[in-house]
Amino acid sequence: MTSEEKKLLQAKHRLEEAQARDRVKERKARTRRLIQEGAVLEKVLPEVQAVGLDNLEEYLRQKLARHD
C-alpha cells in the first residue's frame, strides 16, 4: 500500500468517525428533546401519567378535538 493510499484510507476513517460522532450527538439531542417535551406534557396534563403509552395518542387527539 502506497503512502497516498494510506492517507486516503486515514481520511476516509476520520470522516466515518466524524459522521458517527455527529449521529451520536443528534441522537442524544433528540432524546433530550423528547424527555423535555414529555415532562412539559405531564406538567400541563398530569392525567396522562395514568394513560397507557398505547392509548396516549388517541387520548390526546380526543382532548384536542374537544378544544377546537
Side-chain angles (χ1 to χ4, degrees):
M1 181 177 283
T2 67
S3 69
E4 189 62 33
E5 290 172 331
K6 287 180 185 179
K7 288 179 184 178
L8 286 173
L9 188 58
Q10 287 174 342
K12 180 183 173 191
H13 287 159
R14 280 194 298 274
L15 177 62
E16 289 171 353
E17 288 173 0
Q19 289 171 338
R21 283 192 302 272
D22 288 345
R23 284 191 301 272
V24 168
K25 190 175 182 180
E26 289 170 7
R27 188 185 79 242
K28 287 184 178 187
R30 179 178 186 269
T31 299
R32 178 178 170 80
R33 180 183 53 82
L34 292 172
I35 290 169
Q36 289 174 327
E37 289 174 354
V40 170
L41 177 62
E42 287 182 354
K43 185 176 181 180
V44 173
L45 295 170
E47 66 270 23
V48 298
Q49 293 177 1
V51 177
L53 189 56
D54 296 338
N55 303 321
L56 181 59
E57 182 178 354
E58 184 59 31
Y59 174 82
L60 292 173
R61 287 184 190 279
Q62 290 174 1
K63 190 90 168 165
L64 292 171
R66 284 186 234 144
H67 288 85
D68 285 344

